[in-house]
Amino acid sequence: MCGIVGVVGKQPVNQPIYDALTILQHRGQDAAGIVTWGDDGLKVRKSNGLVRDVFRHRHMMRLTGNVGIGHIRYPTAGSSKSSEAQPFYVNSPYGICLAHNGNLTNHDALAEMLTQQDRRHLNTGSDSEVLLNVFAHELQKRASGTPTAAQIFDAIDAVHDRCSGGYAVVAMIIGHGIVAFRDPNGIRPIIVGERDTAAGKEYMVASESVALDSLGFRNARDLRPGEAVFIENDGTFHSREYSGKTSHSPCIFEFVYFARPDSIIDNLSVYKARLRMGEQLAGQIVREWPDHDIDVVIPIPDTSRTAAVQVAYHLGVKYREGFIKNRYIGRTFIMPGQAERTKSVRRKLNAIDLEFRNKNVLLVDDSIVRGTTSRQIIKMAREAGARRVFFASAAPPVRHPNVYGIDMPSASELIANGRTVAQIEELIGADRLIYQDLHGLIRSVRHDDSDIVNFDTSCFSGEYVTDDVTADYLRALEESRSDEAKSRKNNKWSSPELAVGEGANGTNKAVNA
């Protein structure tokens, strides 16, 4: 999962992009990058690390220009080497920088076609670079001279025709403007907003509405599935919807875990969805365990807090904060590598013994993916003196890989894959384990006024919204993107970092900030 942002402004955009990336930091902590364009040409700064560590004052001063894009990353595909930090760049046609959130399910076929037929060079194993080169190739076929909005949109339609998977993209066509588009199934989120300044109207696109809200942008709307927008450097705004087949199926795991609670995605409040998850989960507990002996409900901070409050309220038991979180430790789910996740759990959380001692405790989490965090937190609760430790998940069992941009590619690494609830309960060490059912989760996220009929629930249901996810594909994915495979890949892609990432058909003239 990644975060993207693009700004077309009337004043320097380095600070708004930096601020937006900081707000979106929860979406990725592996790498960050900003590219800007102005009278001084193309400027770039990108590297591994958090936003605050990648961009120092000297870097910000060099990121001049009124147009720019930014990206924060954690590695689902490719590797965690700094050479794969985004945005990526190709210099033909025009020079294009691109940042991408999601995953292409036909990456291998596209990569082969690009190198063999389109005669384009790929520097990395990232599907974002593949997507960039597909777009660049299709635009080069259609545009000569100044590219028109129609030519750009035709190229994006061709991208949709060739690419499969979940993707939200922001790209800068050097000297002309910013393009943003969303996959035809609307799996990955992207939103656009505007604000008025004394010099004129400014536009921003971002992964979540909270980035726009915090920087004073308004009239935000989500891009429709397959829709593209082109914002020229002077602020002229164009949009067009994809003429091919679309199906609005946003990723439901955004609402479970990834998105910030103060975000609105596809007109659905993440906070309200999580409140309803707590209501539905409480109902599930009452149905399965009407004579429960729960003394207190304790959330596993932070994502599950909203649901846990509702669980306690509807069960009529006390709600307490039993764990204190170290704010300087990242989200363990999106840390690359199982060893790093395991080490981080105890560094991140500390139990308040008084809230556990001699009590029957219900711990509530948003989901259970690998089971690493759940197992260690239950052990911590027992060490703090809990008499019995129950565990509830606001999401159903994660039994299947997610192939659209969330780091669940390997079925063997999912604790619920091939196991019953009783077996999972034993593995994590809980006295009782209760999962939200899928229908309850869908009811929680879908609001009465929403026009969304389907969600991508593939990690729970095993039903994929693109028709190219076969058993053979999933086996190949397991072999290439497990934690072990990523470790091998990190050693493979060891070429020196490029300033913006050299592309096809020319030399790189960007200036590294």
Side-chain angles (χ1 to χ4, degrees), residues 39-58:
D39 293 338
D40 294 334
L42 186 66
K43 307 289 184 173
V44 59
R45 168 63 182 172
K46 62 177 187 174
S47 186
N48 279 8
L50 300 175
V51 175
R52 69 186 182 210
D53 298 322
V54 170
F55 303 102
R56 301 296 186 180
H57 182 263
R58 65 183 184 276

Side-chain angles (χ1 to χ4, degrees), residues 132-367:
L132 166 60
N133 277 274
V134 171
F135 175 54
H137 178 76
E138 296 299 335
L139 184 59
Q140 190 165 28
K141 286 165 54 177
R142 290 163 174 80
S144 59
T146 301
T148 67
Q151 291 169 335
I152 292 169
F153 291 144
D154 286 345
I156 293 170
D157 283 353
V159 171
H160 292 325
D161 292 339
R162 293 180 64 177
C163 297
S164 181
Y167 50 90
V169 174
V170 60
M172 181 167 60
I173 303 175
I174 309 303
H176 300 286
I178 282 181
V179 175
F181 55 93
R182 191 179 190 185
D183 67 83
N185 292 297
I187 298 172
R188 300 267 68 88
I190 184 169
I191 193 165
V192 60
E194 62 184 36
R195 69 180 179 186
D196 293 322
T197 69
K201 188 171 292 185
E202 298 182 322
Y203 290 92
M204 175 184 281
V205 293
S207 294
E208 293 184 34
S209 65
V210 64
L212 280 68
D213 298 339
S214 299
L215 293 170
F217 286 81
R218 67 180 191 287
N219 295 335
R221 69 175 182 87
D222 300 272
L223 269 62
R224 298 289 300 170
E227 184 182 9
V229 299
F230 172 46
I231 309 164
E232 297 184 46
N233 286 347
D234 64 4
T236 304
F237 185 91
H238 311 268
S239 68
R240 192 172 87 181
E241 293 196 22
Y242 179 46
S243 59
K245 181 182 177 182
T246 61
S247 173
H248 201 177
S249 305
C251 175
I252 205 165
F253 211 76
E254 290 277 356
F255 297 89
V256 171
Y257 177 80
F258 272 105
R260 269 183 44 161
D262 43 347
S263 283
I264 307 290
I265 298 177
D266 291 309
N267 294 320
L268 296 171
S269 165
V270 176
Y271 175 74
K272 291 289 188 181
R274 290 177 184 167
L275 283 176
R276 292 190 290 267
M277 287 178 205
E279 296 170 4
Q280 294 287 333
L281 181 57
Q284 186 89 7
I285 293 170
V286 170
R287 289 191 299 273
E288 292 187 16
W289 191 15
D291 57 344
H292 70 80
D293 56 347
I294 299 167
D295 295 322
V296 62
V297 172
I298 292 177
I300 298 173
D302 284 317
T303 319
S304 63
R305 184 174 283 118
T306 307
V309 169
Q310 291 297 92
V311 170
Y313 175 78
H314 287 280
L315 292 182
V317 301
K318 293 178 181 179
Y319 170 88
R320 290 292 185 267
E321 294 285 342
F323 294 103
I324 299 302
K325 182 178 180 180
N326 182 343
R327 303 289 175 183
Y328 301 96
I329 300 293
R331 302 174 90 179
T332 53
F333 173 77
I334 61 176
M335 286 183 173
Q338 182 70 5
E340 187 63 25
R341 296 183 201 105
T342 302
K343 286 192 301 182
S344 294
V345 174
R346 283 186 175 269
R347 296 202 306 257
K348 182 173 74 169
L349 297 176
N350 188 52
I352 302 176
D353 291 6
L354 292 175
E355 298 299 344
F356 291 92
R357 195 172 300 154
N358 298 321
K359 295 177 183 177
N360 295 337
V361 177
L362 175 65
L363 302 179
V364 177
D365 206 352
D366 52 81
S367 59

Side-chain angles (χ1 to χ4, degrees), residues 23-81:
I23 293 165
L24 297 173
Q25 186 75 84
H26 60 283
R27 300 186 67 88
Q29 300 156 13
D30 181 65
I34 295 176
V35 175
T36 60
W37 170 259
D39 293 338
D40 294 334
L42 186 66
K43 307 289 184 173
V44 59
R45 168 63 182 172
K46 62 177 187 174
S47 186
N48 279 8
L50 300 175
V51 175
R52 69 186 182 210
D53 298 322
V54 170
F55 303 102
R56 301 296 186 180
H57 182 263
R58 65 183 184 276
H59 305 128
M60 295 296 291
M61 293 298 294
R62 295 170 186 164
L63 289 169
T64 56
N66 294 356
V67 180
I69 64 175
H71 184 266
I72 46 113
R73 175 182 191 265
Y74 94 107
T76 52
S79 75
S80 59
K81 292 292 184 182

Side-chain angles (χ1 to χ4, degrees), residues 386-409:
R387 185 166 55 241
R388 302 181 71 196
V389 182
F390 315 121
F391 204 95
S393 168
V398 177
R399 301 188 187 278
H400 307 277
N402 184 291
V403 301
Y404 300 123
I406 296 177
D407 193 18
M408 304 176 191

